[in-house]
Amino acid sequence: MKIKYLIAAIFTSCSLSVHGQVFESEQNPPGIKFREIVTENFQLIYPEEIESDAQRMANTLGHLLPHVANTLRKKPRKISIILQNQGTESNGFVQLAPRRSEFFTTPPQSSDYQDWLNSLAVHELRHVVQFDKLTGYLRKPFFEELALLIFGVTLPPWFYEGDAVGIETALTGAGRGRLPGWELIFRTNTLSGKKYSYTKNYLGSVKDLTPGYYQLGYFMTSRLRREHGSNILDSLYHRIRKNPLRPYNFSNSLRHFTGMTTRRLHDSTVKELAELWTRQAAKIDAEKFPALNKKKRRYPLDYLLPVAVSDSQILALKQGRQITPELILIDRKGNEKRMLKIGYQKEPHFHFAADKIVWDEIRFDGRFHKRSFNVINISDLVTGSRKQLTHKTRLFAPALSPDGSLITAVEVSVSNRIALVEIDPQTGNVLKRYPSPRNASLQTPSFDETGSKIVMAAVTAEGIGLLELDRTTGVYTTVLPFQRQQIARPVYAGQRIVFKAHYNGIDNLYILQNEQTFRLTSVEFGAFNPSFDRFSRQILFNNYQPAGFDVSTAKLTMQAPADFKSTFINYASPVAAQEGLVNVFDSIPDRKFASRPYSELKNLFYFHSLGLSADDNPYFNDYNIGIHLKSDNKLNTLGLSVGYEYNKALRGSEYLASLSYKKYLPIIRLAYHNQPRLLYQRNQTAAGVALIPITWREHITEANISLPLAFNRFDHTYNVSAGVGTSYTSRYEIMNRPRTFIGTLEFPVRYTLNLSGNSIRNAMDLAPRFGQNINLSYRHFPLDDNFAGYLFTLRSRFYFPGLGRNHSFQAAFNYQSSGGTYNSTTDIPYIRGYGNLRPTENLENTLFLDYRLPLFYPDWEVSTLAYIKRVRGGIFADYENIGKQGSYKPRSFGVNLQADMNLLRFYLPNFAAGGAIIFTTGKSAQNPIFDFSFSYTF
């Protein structure tokens, strides 16, 4: 049941730009003044500084609703839409338990050619309709988790995400279905003969590039609608809803209406796409551009954003499945030299000039993870030094002036006001601010060779155009008109401007001169990220290939005027026809809605679900069956659960309640538990030793205050968490009470401190390359005269690089010291195979040494039961009570083997199944010991 709920949570947190996520439960920093607008169909909750955006969204959502709901024939119930302005991520999602949708308002630096919030609104609103169409009859206060479970277990993510992308494309003049760069991996794989199976295209691969379920689902659902009419999705939802317990409900219903399995639908879609893309490729006179990066690569690898630093060296951002992002130098022979590692970015970006490198990175708020920042970092190419230049800023896509004396970047304020700013590269101070005309979303600015002008892409409701800023006058000029085209990364080449667009249906480079646009490249798959090489007077760019982005050069010669005749395969055109060939954003009303302060106090509680549980009994080898009523408010500041469980082992009832308050810096948790208990006391009699059962019930009231903090800096993440907790236990209905039995346990105290610092990981890493993790705890009885004792525990784990790439060496040392009441308590992990060994008295420490390595990446399909992505192995040695009685040899050692897989075609969780052969050096009931394991992660 736990796994099913977690699967449902993953699958049903639908997002525009992020693959599925678990329940979103983070908080905003305190002090934000939220307001609300209540309409017939929506409750908009938003910070007061984005009142104008909230008014616009109130009009937009009401106008969109009938269009988005039309082909599913379902008007959804009123829902809360929360506009989040504190983060720098560009994202959106819909979830249940509690039922809400969130729009993150910061626009991205690369998007389709329409307003960001408009794009979010049409996509996420389709998810709202999907939820209500399938499970809308299951409502609060009891059934939202059940609705989530049914939706998540029934529908594959490609189906509902592909449909939402299809709607955003069909109902607007933009949408990701109109972008050749969005289908780039899928088209390249298909034209290159990499025609992967349905399972691999859907569930992905560790070793190969696959399209992703958004792209896959867009094409499959679009074909489904074209071949079987606009009502096919409605029919599928309706049949599934009528019998939600039908096994393999989606596949069964798909076959019922179409005669096809999901695999056949996939295969026929890919076959058709191969024919369409082959005909498209035949219309394009593609040129070959040799790669300057010569290093052979076994797995996909990108060499992004190339820029010439001398006549013999190129700087590029290298990243891939095997490595985390790093800036490297490539010489003209293809030899590489690593310069520095960088951290998390919204989108890959850096800029070079005058022997300096600037780039932006995301920084988390330590405690309130709804808030994040985008900071600028700077490095000296000669000395290799690096530093974070700005702090707690919202700055994107920095670029250096030619002499390195100035940085320009895009600034997005929390009020969603956009400006181009100039920054001092020594202090990080903002020197000047140029507000964006009409608050257009500015993207990737770049200086000319004199440093007096800056060119940038700009996004409005009319599309994307190019703006040029004259720094002398502070005036913006439109140098390329706004149009329905994804124009990106403009750079100067002398007096001309080079940029990426897709006029001919493929992403290519174009050049703007004297208000005329000329084609610069004609590639097979896609050309991106141009830069002007002033040494060779050529253009460096990224030429996409089946193994990733290569670095190539193009001569700065204008091949032909852009004829604007596109060969792009508009796969959603039949869907657009079914939706009425309308652009829903052409006629948005402009009504002024009443707004009022949002009262968090009145909305502290939102009871949404009765959840079933089957929890392990902590005292007996059995389980408790229970039911819990849950409340979580929509701002994630208060969680409450009350429940009942039946203790099967003791045949008694248990009553539970817990509360978690997370609005402020510390997190406060309170819990109550009423439960039956049992223990046996040895009693010496004339007939021998008798075990006397002692039974009782007890009230346990617990309180805990914790402060969890998480930070990141460059290529490392850091966590600091401190907490203190206590409890009060009162025992009653005591049967066979011994004289020494104590009825109350008064306020034992436990202190915890967790410290960690780990390098970021890539897809193939089994562990961080470097990491230090230390957990400390201390327990004692400072306020209870009936008890005396203490327990100190240290747990630690350290990570080091192995002998090969993605290998990991790990050392974990654990120690405890105890006395008094805790003298027989063990609070550190036992060695492997412990259950078959003679117990060690007074366990004081353990040491685990592990070497882990990936073995191979098979991408094996075991029918529909399992899809195995990776097989990994390792060797280990476990030590116990080191230094005590000369025990310096391992007490157990062995080898292990595990397979990482998806089961039953569920996208998440990821399962690991395997086993270990454990040898012991002491007396053992079994030697060797065979141990089997099964686990899951997200």
Side-chain angles (χ1 to χ4, degrees):
M1 185 64 71
K2 286 182 180 179
I3 293 176
K4 288 182 179 179
Y5 274 110
L6 288 168
I7 290 172
I10 287 290
F11 285 170
T12 52
S13 291
C14 312
S15 73
L16 180 61
S17 57
V18 173
H19 298 318
Q21 54 195 15
V22 188
F23 288 101
E24 213 291 346
S25 59
E26 300 298 339
Q27 295 80 49
N28 281 290
I32 295 176
K33 296 180 180 178
F34 283 96
R35 298 184 66 82
E36 66 177 338
I37 294 173
V38 180
T39 71
E40 177 186 357
N41 299 302
F42 303 97
Q43 175 198 31
L44 271 83
I45 304 170
Y46 58 94
E48 62 179 3
E49 54 266 1
I50 55 171
E51 176 74 30
S52 61
D53 285 320
Q55 291 286 343
R56 181 164 67 88
M57 281 295 99
N59 282 284
T60 301
L61 290 165
H63 176 75
L64 286 178
L65 186 59
H67 296 281
V68 173
N70 179 40
T71 48
L72 288 185
R73 300 179 181 180
K74 177 67 177 179
K75 180 182 178 181
R77 294 178 289 116
K78 178 182 280 191
I79 188 171
S80 297
I81 308 287
I82 305 174
L83 304 183
Q84 299 285 3
N85 70 334
Q86 295 293 308
T88 54
E89 292 284 350
S90 304
N91 193 16
F93 66 84
V94 181
Q95 74 171 46
L96 298 180
R99 185 174 184 267
R100 71 179 190 269
S101 177
E102 296 194 12
F103 297 0
F104 294 81
T105 60
T106 303
Q109 285 294 293
S110 176
S111 62
D112 64 354
Y113 35 89
Q114 66 184 347
D115 176 86
W116 166 244
L117 282 178
N118 284 355
S119 184
L120 273 179
V122 68
H123 184 100
E124 303 304 336
L125 195 52
R126 183 65 168 193
H127 286 318
V128 174
V129 178
Q130 293 167 345
F131 269 122
D132 273 21
K133 180 67 180 180
L134 187 63
T135 61
Y137 60 95
L138 297 170
R139 306 182 180 185
K140 70 168 187 175
F142 301 130
F143 300 121
E144 283 192 356
E145 275 192 0
L146 180 59
L148 195 67
L149 172 66
I150 291 173
F151 191 96
V153 170
T154 302
L155 299 180
W158 67 258
F159 177 71
Y160 54 77
E161 289 295 0
D163 172 43
V165 173
I167 286 295
E168 81 180 48
T169 305
L171 291 179
T172 73
R176 284 170 289 180
R178 289 190 169 90
L179 304 180
W182 190 69
E183 64 185 37
L184 181 63
I185 294 175
F186 204 174
R187 179 166 54 88
T188 302
N189 283 355
T190 303
L191 293 177
S192 303
K194 296 184 176 183
K195 297 178 182 178
Y196 298 136
S197 68
Y198 162 69
T199 303
K200 185 167 180 173
N201 273 337
Y202 167 36
L203 298 177
S205 171
V206 179
K207 66 175 180 178
D208 293 315
L209 296 173
T210 56
Y213 61 73
Y214 280 76
Q215 290 84 344
L216 181 69
Y218 162 70
F219 287 106
M220 290 176 67
T221 56
S222 295
R223 179 178 174 84
L224 195 60
R225 290 188 58 170
R226 188 192 69 204
E227 297 294 323
H228 299 278
S230 61
N231 296 328
I232 182 61
L233 302 189
D234 174 66
S235 299
L236 288 168
Y237 278 108
H238 183 73
R239 186 172 188 267
I240 294 169
R241 176 181 171 132
K242 283 179 62 179
N243 185 359
L245 300 180
R246 182 187 293 114
Y248 300 100
N249 213 340
F250 176 78
S251 298
N252 185 288
S253 297
L254 182 66
R255 180 177 292 183
H256 175 82
F257 289 111
T258 70
M260 291 191 299
T261 63
T262 52
R263 184 187 294 275
R264 281 188 58 196
L265 174 61
H266 166 271
D267 292 347
S268 63
T269 303
V270 172
K271 181 180 178 181
E272 181 185 50
L273 286 171
E275 295 171 355
L276 293 172
W277 283 331
T278 299
R279 288 201 294 267
Q280 178 196 27
K283 298 176 183 178
I284 299 171
D285 186 16
E287 305 171 74
K288 297 294 184 181
F289 293 89
L292 301 183
N293 48 289
K294 304 295 186 182
K295 187 172 183 179
K296 293 183 179 180
R297 47 195 179 190
R298 182 179 178 186
Y299 300 110
L301 201 57
D302 294 329
Y303 292 83
L304 297 170
L305 303 158
V307 59
V309 301
S310 70
D311 60 357
S312 61
Q313 289 183 313
I314 294 169
L315 186 66
L317 176 59
K318 180 180 176 182
Q319 62 184 34
R321 300 300 176 92
Q322 278 194 307
I323 64 168
T324 56
E326 60 187 27
L327 290 166
I328 63 165
L329 283 174
I330 308 172
D331 65 24
R332 298 295 179 174
K333 295 181 180 180
N335 299 313
E336 299 177 12
K337 177 184 178 182
R338 181 196 297 172
M339 299 307 297
L340 58 97
K341 289 278 189 180
I342 67 171
Y344 295 115
Q345 294 186 295
K346 278 190 67 176
E347 296 165 35
H349 180 84
F350 77 92
H351 191 262
F352 170 84
D355 289 333
K356 296 184 181 70
I357 308 168
V358 291
W359 71 99
D360 57 343
E361 289 181 1
I362 296 172
R363 291 289 183 268
F364 313 134
D365 182 283
R367 164 65 180 86
F368 301 102
H369 294 163
K370 287 288 191 188
R371 179 167 66 184
S372 61
F373 306 99
N374 226 59
V375 302
I376 295 176
N377 304 295
I378 191 166
S379 175
D380 189 297
L381 187 64
V382 177
T383 65
S385 64
R386 68 175 181 179
K387 70 174 181 178
Q388 182 175 320
L389 187 62
T390 69
H391 301 267
K392 296 187 176 181
T393 52
R394 297 164 57 88
L395 299 170
F396 305 89
L400 282 158
S401 61
D403 61 1
S405 64
L406 200 66
I407 298 172
T408 188
V410 176
E411 179 186 65
V412 183
S413 71
V414 291
S415 58
N416 244 26
R417 307 314 296 173
I418 299 170
L420 197 69
V421 297
E422 294 178 358
I423 299 166
D424 186 326
Q426 300 297 323
T427 64
N429 295 332
V430 173
L431 304 175
K432 201 166 184 179
R433 184 174 280 108
Y434 304 95
S436 171
R438 296 190 299 159
N439 205 43
S441 178
L442 305 181
Q443 298 178 346
T444 58
S446 181
F447 283 95
D448 73 347
E449 61 185 9
T450 68
S452 61
K453 294 180 180 180
I454 303 173
V455 68
M456 69 215 75
V459 188
T460 67
E462 290 77 40
I464 300 182
L466 292 182
L467 300 181
E468 185 177 66
L469 173 70
D470 188 322
R471 294 184 54 233
T472 304
T473 63
V475 175
Y476 290 92
T477 303
T478 301
V479 294
L480 186 68
F482 288 84
Q483 53 199 280
R484 300 295 183 187
Q485 185 75 200
Q486 192 185 44
I487 297 165
R489 290 198 172 271
V491 295
Y492 288 98
Q495 298 300 310
R496 297 172 287 185
I497 297 172
V498 179
F499 58 93
K500 191 278 299 181
H502 60 276
Y503 292 123
N504 73 336
I506 300 293
D507 287 302
N508 270 296
L509 303 185
Y510 292 83
I511 188 165
L512 181 65
Q513 177 175 303
N514 298 327
E515 298 183 354
Q516 277 193 293
T517 302
F518 299 86
R519 180 168 56 83
L520 190 59
T521 66
S522 179
V523 298
E524 186 177 7
F525 303 119
F528 306 85
N529 306 323
S531 71
F532 179 56
D533 181 354
R534 60 188 177 88
F535 303 99
S536 66
R537 310 302 292 178
Q538 294 184 339
I539 295 296
L540 285 165
F541 70 99
N542 280 133
N543 185 21
Y544 188 78
Q545 296 296 303
F549 288 94
D550 282 338
V551 176
S552 296
T553 61
K555 293 181 179 179
L556 197 56
T557 55
M558 297 167 288
Q559 297 188 8
D563 56 13
F564 304 104
K565 291 182 180 179
S566 177
T567 63
F568 182 68
I569 308 301
N570 188 356
Y571 206 74
S573 57
V575 178
Q578 292 173 358
E579 297 291 345
L581 294 174
V582 298
N583 185 339
V584 290
F585 297 123
D586 283 345
S587 56
I588 301 296
D590 190 19
R591 176 185 169 189
K592 177 69 174 180
F593 290 89
S595 70
R596 64 192 181 199
Y598 176 75
S599 173
E600 185 178 349
L601 184 62
K602 292 180 180 179
N603 294 279
L604 271 180
F605 300 98
Y606 180 93
F607 289 96
H608 54 75
S609 302
L610 277 176
L612 301 178
S613 64
D615 297 328
D616 291 334
N617 188 302
Y619 305 106
F620 301 93
N621 186 23
D622 214 320
Y623 54 89
N624 297 348
I625 299 173
I627 188 167
H628 301 258
L629 178 62
K630 302 175 185 180
S631 169
D632 295 278
N633 67 3
K634 295 180 181 180
L635 294 182
N636 299 327
T637 57
L638 182 70
L640 175 68
S641 174
V642 293
Y644 167 85
E645 292 184 355
Y646 181 73
N647 189 318
K648 185 179 178 183
L650 298 183
R651 299 182 181 179
S653 296
E654 299 190 10
Y655 307 93
L656 307 93
S658 64
L659 180 145
S660 178
Y661 190 59
K662 299 174 284 185
K663 181 178 176 64
Y664 298 104
L665 197 63
I667 295 176
I668 300 172
R669 290 187 173 90
L670 303 175
Y672 168 77
H673 194 176
N674 180 281
Q675 64 180 353
R677 292 291 307 276
L678 165 70
L679 64 78
Y680 291 90
Q681 183 182 44
R682 288 176 173 271
N683 191 14
Q684 186 68 43
T685 66
V689 176
L691 296 177
I692 307 299
I694 303 168
T695 63
W696 73 93
R697 294 191 65 88
E698 62 186 17
H699 303 282
I700 305 175
T701 304
E702 298 177 308
N704 180 274
I705 298 177
S706 62
L707 183 59
L709 301 176
F711 308 93
N712 68 307
R713 182 176 171 82
F714 300 121
D715 60 332
H716 278 72
T717 61
Y718 305 92
N719 290 272
V720 179
S721 177
V724 58
T726 188
S727 64
Y728 182 85
T729 302
S730 175
R731 296 165 172 171
Y732 64 101
E733 295 182 3
I734 305 167
M735 300 294 293
N736 298 324
R737 180 172 186 163
R739 288 182 303 166
T740 57
F741 191 85
I742 297 173
T744 60
L745 282 73
E746 298 180 358
F747 307 110
V749 180
R750 180 180 183 181
Y751 312 91
T752 59
L753 177 64
N754 302 320
L755 306 169
S756 70
N758 296 285
S759 58
I760 62 176
R761 297 166 58 178
N762 59 63
M764 290 186 172
D765 279 337
L766 300 179
R769 185 171 173 82
F770 289 99
Q772 306 83 38
N773 301 268
I774 298 173
N775 304 317
L776 303 169
S777 72
Y778 182 76
R779 305 182 194 183
H780 67 146
F781 296 91
L783 303 174
D784 194 332
D785 295 334
N786 295 314
F787 292 91
Y790 72 94
L791 176 63
F792 170 77
T793 302
L794 161 70
R795 300 186 184 205
S796 66
R797 183 171 292 274
F798 300 91
Y799 299 101
F800 305 94
L803 299 176
R805 191 182 291 275
N806 309 119
H807 293 206
S808 175
F809 174 69
Q810 303 172 29
F813 179 72
N814 310 285
Y815 169 81
Q816 74 171 41
S817 175
S818 60
T821 302
Y822 291 111
N823 204 37
S824 60
T825 301
T826 299
D827 198 34
I828 59 175
Y830 294 102
I831 63 170
R832 278 159 281 203
Y834 176 83
N836 288 272
L837 295 169
R838 179 182 299 171
T840 300
E841 295 182 2
N842 298 323
L843 183 64
E844 293 183 1
N845 64 70
T846 54
L847 172 66
F848 307 129
L849 301 179
D850 289 81
Y851 190 92
R852 300 178 183 178
L853 69 160
L855 297 176
F856 51 97
Y857 305 92
D859 290 345
W860 286 338
E861 296 181 45
V862 184
S863 184
T864 61
L865 299 178
Y867 171 59
I868 301 172
K869 294 180 178 178
R870 174 170 57 192
V871 177
R872 49 194 167 102
I875 58 175
F876 61 87
D878 293 354
Y879 299 78
E880 190 175 80
N881 284 348
I882 296 175
K884 188 176 181 180
Q885 298 178 351
S887 54
Y888 291 100
K889 65 179 181 179
R891 197 166 185 216
S892 67
F893 60 93
V895 297
N896 55 44
L897 188 71
Q898 282 191 315
D900 298 325
M901 65 186 72
N902 298 90
L903 295 181
L904 301 176
R905 286 186 177 158
F906 282 122
Y907 189 81
L908 287 173
N910 294 306
F911 291 93
I917 302 175
I918 305 169
F919 301 92
T920 66
T921 57
K923 292 183 178 180
S924 172
Q926 181 181 347
N927 196 5
I929 302 164
F930 296 93
D931 182 57
F932 298 95
S933 62
F934 185 76
S935 62
Y936 61 90
T937 57
F938 292 91

